[in-house]
Amino acid sequence: MNEEANTTGWDAIDREMSRLYGDQEPKHYGTILPYSLGGQDPLDGISVYKSEEPAPHWHFVTYGFTELYDKESDNAEESGYGFELTFRLTRGEEEEEPPAWALNLLQNMGRYVFNSGNIFRSGDYLDANGPICLGADTLLTALAFAEDPELPAIDTPNGQVQFLQMVGITRDELEAMQTWNTLGVLSVCLDHMPHYITDLSRASHLDIPAISEAVQKGMQEEGSNTGFLYVDQLAWETGKKGWFSKTPSTLKLGAKQAGIIGKLLQGRILKGKSLTLIGPEIRVVFEAGEKPGCEAGEDEVRLTLDEVTAGDLSRKLLPKESVIELSALPGIAIQIVKTQIKDNEGNVVEVIG
């Protein structure tokens, strides 16, 4: 960095980390060629600290989601995107260098935010569709986001900065967060995951009866906080009526998300809330009502479900190929199609359904 550059945003993060780690010199991984000039890494840098409490782990913090130098945006309240990411990862006794895959994962989060404009908030989750550490024998295939337990939000000359911690989670923990809520699931796991430290070798916390029971209770009492779900396999085909034959209008869903949609319907419709599925070309809105029905527009389909129909559909939405027809919605079919899970190179590594 140029010594004459204004580094007030960067310095504010440094001061907060010094409050936590004193004189410890972090391992810092900077970016040589800025993203704006064609570089591969969007973040200006990542610092990594050794932490011993509550268990030995690496503590990563990013520099680059916020305005590190001069104030450029018109939003005076927040600095840049308003957050920096942190990540806590178990550390072996003889480990002297943080693993490169974790640095790459944080840069990938930067690419996602910079390219899409979507930002993370506490309580969000992200399905990685595979191990968060590529090639590792781990059950952690998704990420949750929560406030870093040791780093409260800070005010800087460029606006407020929150520290959002990424937490590695399993597929069934992700589903539990979708059918209840992220922070609720994390909180009941806290005794077994202090400071939300990610451990690639751990089993699902839902294997612990007390946690599984707490999640079920939370879902039943509170319902689901997931009102919107992106579904990459989502399509609507309008039925045809003729003299000699007719075909129903068909909602097509991928098998991978059919099961979770079924669970979400229980946690939304049965609590009087709506659920919106967002696909590449169509939106499908399930809403609670006394009389089942369907309204199909050019780019949105609205399905009204009463409690009986919602319960019936919820039980039938399973992750396998099938065609579902409901007596309460004549002329409507729901088709579950296979989902292909692919790796970064486009190779099919799993087929669901």
Side-chain angles (χ1 to χ4, degrees):
M1 291 183 294
N2 187 327
E3 292 183 0
E4 297 180 358
N6 175 12
T7 60
T8 53
W10 188 298
D11 295 341
I13 298 171
D14 279 349
R15 282 195 297 272
E16 187 65 6
M17 300 311 294
S18 294
R19 178 190 63 78
L20 202 57
Y21 292 107
D23 295 333
Q24 181 184 153
E25 188 70 25
K27 294 182 179 295
H28 187 77
Y29 301 85
T31 299
I32 297 175
L33 184 63
Y35 201 57
S36 58
L37 298 179
Q40 296 298 309
D41 297 327
L43 302 177
D44 288 43
I46 300 170
S47 284
V48 191
Y49 294 81
K50 275 187 175 182
S51 182
E52 304 300 332
E53 297 295 337
H57 66 277
W58 297 109
H59 192 185
F60 300 74
V61 60
T62 65
Y63 292 74
F65 290 103
T66 58
E67 291 164 298
L68 303 173
Y69 314 110
D70 294 318
K71 180 67 179 176
E72 297 180 5
S73 73
D74 295 329
N75 185 348
E77 295 184 1
E78 292 186 337
S79 176
Y81 288 110
F83 68 91
E84 293 289 354
L85 288 178
T86 71
F87 185 50
R88 296 175 188 264
L89 181 66
T90 53
R91 172 171 52 85
E93 291 182 7
E94 299 181 358
E95 269 189 88
E96 292 299 326
E97 296 290 335
W101 71 263
L103 299 167
N104 292 333
L105 179 61
L106 287 164
Q107 289 287 4
N108 282 336
M109 294 299 103
R111 293 184 189 96
Y112 169 77
V113 171
F114 279 58
N115 293 336
S116 69
N118 298 329
I119 62 173
F120 297 115
R121 298 291 187 195
S122 178
D124 285 349
Y125 50 74
L126 182 69
D127 189 350
N129 289 317
I132 62 171
C133 172
L134 293 178
D137 183 16
T138 179
L139 295 177
L140 306 185
T141 58
L143 296 164
F145 298 84
E147 294 179 6
D148 189 296
E150 292 187 308
L151 294 171
I154 60 173
D155 291 318
T156 78
N158 294 333
Q160 189 178 77
V161 176
Q162 288 189 317
F163 294 94
L164 283 185
Q165 183 174 323
M166 296 194 316
V167 187
I169 56 174
T170 64
R171 180 182 291 182
D172 59 346
E173 290 165 356
L174 171 63
E175 289 193 359
M177 291 174 181
Q178 292 171 320
T179 52
W180 183 22
N181 69 73
T182 300
L183 300 182
V185 174
L186 287 177
S187 67
V188 299
C189 294
L190 188 57
D191 287 344
H192 300 270
M193 188 169 49
H195 279 25
Y196 303 135
I197 298 171
T198 293
D199 180 356
L200 290 179
S201 65
R202 74 171 176 85
S204 170
H205 289 312
L206 293 181
D207 292 342
I208 302 170
I211 291 179
S212 180
E213 291 169 8
V215 169
Q216 288 297 320
K217 181 181 178 182
M219 186 190 77
Q220 291 168 4
E221 292 181 354
E222 301 173 20
S224 170
N225 273 11
T226 303
F228 296 84
L229 186 69
Y230 180 77
V231 182
D232 52 3
Q233 286 180 281
L234 183 69
W236 174 261
E237 293 183 356
T238 303
K240 298 179 180 179
K241 297 180 180 180
W243 287 103
F244 303 107
S245 65
K246 62 180 180 178
T247 59
S249 294
T250 303
L251 173 63
K252 291 188 175 182
L253 296 171
K256 179 179 185 294
Q257 291 180 301
I260 188 62
I261 291 170
K263 294 177 181 178
L264 285 175
L265 287 175
Q266 292 185 49
R268 299 293 296 181
I269 300 299
L270 301 186
K271 298 293 182 180
K273 303 175 182 178
S274 65
L275 172 65
T276 300
L277 308 181
I278 303 172
E281 298 179 356
I282 192 79
R283 288 164 56 100
V284 178
V285 182
F286 293 94
E287 53 189 5
E290 296 182 1
K291 184 178 180 181
C294 174
E295 293 183 11
E298 187 174 327
D299 54 8
E300 182 177 278
V301 176
R302 304 186 75 87
L303 292 166
T304 303
L305 306 176
D306 60 10
E307 289 192 5
V308 173
T309 308
D312 189 18
L313 177 56
S314 178
R315 287 187 294 273
K316 292 178 178 179
L317 281 172
L318 301 172
K320 61 181 181 180
E321 278 191 310
S322 62
V323 176
I324 302 167
E325 295 186 350
L326 303 170
S327 58
L329 291 171
I332 305 295
I334 299 173
Q335 183 180 0
I336 311 301
V337 298
K338 288 183 178 180
T339 297
Q340 293 183 337
I341 304 297
K342 299 180 180 179
D343 60 20
N344 288 349
E345 298 176 353
N347 301 311
V348 177
V349 294
E350 183 183 359
V351 176
I352 300 174

